[in-house]
Amino acid sequence: REAGELALNLLSEKRLPLYAFFLSLRERQGTHDDEEDERIAFRMHHDGEIDVRASYCILAPCKLLGLIDETAPTSSEKKINHAKGDTSSIISSNPLLAPSIAKHISACQTHEGGFGAEPHNEAHGGYTFCALASLRILNAVEQIDVDNLRGWLARRQMGYEGGFCGRTNKLVDGCYSFWQGGAMAVLDEWDRGATEMKGGGSEMIEGEREKKEEEYEEELDEEEEWERSEISFD
C-alpha cells in the first residue's frame, strides 16, 4: 500500500511536466499552407523519428493519467493548484484531441488494410496495433476502412503454423500473436460499442458473434479436409 501511494504521488507530481513534454514532440505534417491537409504527428524523442509508435506511446500514458479529456491543464491554474496537490485544472480545449492527430494516423493505413509507420509505408503488425489503439483512445476508429483492416488482420494468421506474421509474405513470429491479436481485440471491443450505439444491444452482439464463430469453424473444417486430401503416405 505504501509503495502504491508513493507511485501515485510521483505520478501526480510528474503529470503536468509529462504533458508539456509530450506536446513538445508534436510535428506538423502535410501541406503547411493548406489547413485542410494539416496533420499532426509525434516524434519518439526530440530530433527523433516520426511514426505511429510515438503517437501510441504518448496517447496511452496520457489516457492513463487523465490528460486526454475535452479539457487540459492551464499554466495559471497549474501554479495555484499544484501547491494544493491538485492537478485537475482545466481549460476549454486540449491539443491532444486535435482532429489533425487522428487524421495523420488514419493516413498511415495502406491499400492492404493495415498501417505503416508513416503514410505510404508498408503495412506492419506492430505499427497497425499502435495506430488502431491510438485511434481507439481518440474515439476515431470510424475514420478508417475498418473492413479492409479486419481482412488484413485475418490474413496475417498462417494456416500451417497457426501463428501470425507481421507483413505480407513474411514468416510467422511469436511477437505478432500480440500485435495482430491485440489489434483484433481492440477492433472487437470497438465493434461491440459501435453495435450498441446503433441500438443493437447485447443480444444482437452475441448473435453476430455466434454466427462468426460458426463461419470460422466451417472454414477450419474445410481447410483440414483439404490438408488431409493433400497428405501422401507413399
Side-chain angles (χ1 to χ4, degrees), residues 22-81:
F22 289 149
L23 290 181
S24 74
L25 296 174
R26 289 177 297 172
E27 191 73 23
R28 194 175 181 184
Q29 302 286 288
T31 307
H32 286 214
D33 57 353
D34 185 356
E35 291 186 2
E36 292 186 2
D37 188 48
E38 183 183 66
R39 294 178 278 109
I40 298 296
F42 291 92
R43 291 188 180 274
M44 291 297 295
H45 53 84
H46 291 149
D47 297 321
E49 61 270 39
I50 298 171
D51 59 53
V52 291
R53 290 176 305 161
S55 299
Y56 175 69
C57 289
I58 286 174
L59 293 171
C62 283
K63 178 69 174 178
L64 294 173
L65 290 170
L67 292 169
I68 297 185
D69 200 340
E70 292 184 1
T71 52
T74 65
S75 56
S76 59
E77 288 175 329
K78 170 185 170 183
K79 292 177 182 178
I80 296 172
N81 293 330

Side-chain angles (χ1 to χ4, degrees), residues 6 22 50 58 69 73 80 94 98 112 119 135 141 144 146 152 175 192 197 201 222 229:
L6 287 172
F22 289 149
I50 298 171
I58 286 174
D69 200 340
I80 296 172
N94 187 340
E112 289 186 280
L135 291 172
V141 177
I144 63 173
V146 173
W152 183 84
C175 73
R192 292 194 211 181
M197 287 286 288
E222 291 176 1
S229 68

Side-chain angles (χ1 to χ4, degrees), residues 177-195:
S177 293
F178 173 80
W179 297 120
Q180 311 289 29
M184 288 179 176
V186 173
L187 195 56
D188 183 59
E189 186 272 339
W190 176 82
D191 268 334
R192 292 194 211 181
T195 303

Side-chain angles (χ1 to χ4, degrees), residues 153-173:
L153 289 170
R155 291 191 297 274
R156 298 288 67 75
Q157 186 173 23
M158 300 293 97
Y160 180 74
E161 303 95 332
F164 292 86
C165 64
R167 292 176 286 162
T168 301
N169 294 326
K170 293 294 182 176
L171 299 175
V172 166
D173 189 317

Side-chain angles (χ1 to χ4, degrees), residues 50-232:
I50 298 171
D51 59 53
V52 291
R53 290 176 305 161
S55 299
Y56 175 69
C57 289
I58 286 174
L59 293 171
C62 283
K63 178 69 174 178
L64 294 173
L65 290 170
L67 292 169
I68 297 185
D69 200 340
E70 292 184 1
T71 52
T74 65
S75 56
S76 59
E77 288 175 329
K78 170 185 170 183
K79 292 177 182 178
I80 296 172
N81 293 330
H82 185 67
K84 301 178 182 178
D86 178 13
T87 58
S88 60
S89 304
I90 58 176
I91 54 174
S92 59
S93 61
N94 187 340
L96 290 175
L97 288 176
S100 51
I101 295 176
K103 186 177 182 179
H104 174 76
I105 298 170
S106 300
C108 296
Q109 187 174 25
T110 76
H111 68 281
E112 289 186 280
F115 288 78
E118 298 179 274
H120 314 301
N121 281 190
E122 181 183 13
H124 182 282
Y127 295 116
T128 295
F129 173 84
C130 290
L132 179 60
S134 296
L135 291 172
R136 184 68 189 95
I137 290 171
L138 295 172
N139 293 317
V141 177
E142 68 280 354
Q143 294 185 19
I144 63 173
D145 187 339
V146 173
D147 290 336
N148 202 16
L149 170 60
R150 187 182 290 110
W152 183 84
L153 289 170
R155 291 191 297 274
R156 298 288 67 75
Q157 186 173 23
M158 300 293 97
Y160 180 74
E161 303 95 332
F164 292 86
C165 64
R167 292 176 286 162
T168 301
N169 294 326
K170 293 294 182 176
L171 299 175
V172 166
D173 189 317
C175 73
Y176 294 113
S177 293
F178 173 80
W179 297 120
Q180 311 289 29
M184 288 179 176
V186 173
L187 195 56
D188 183 59
E189 186 272 339
W190 176 82
D191 268 334
R192 292 194 211 181
T195 303
E196 288 179 345
M197 287 286 288
K198 292 177 181 177
S202 60
E203 291 182 2
M204 182 177 177
I205 294 171
E206 189 60 31
E208 290 183 352
R209 183 182 299 279
E210 290 176 358
K211 183 179 179 181
K212 288 180 180 179
E213 289 177 353
E214 290 175 0
E215 291 174 352
Y216 180 65
E217 289 175 0
E218 289 176 1
E219 290 177 1
L220 287 179
D221 290 340
E222 291 176 1
E223 288 182 6
E224 290 175 0
E225 185 177 345
W226 180 83
E227 289 174 357
R228 284 195 297 269
S229 68
E230 292 292 310
I231 296 175
S232 173

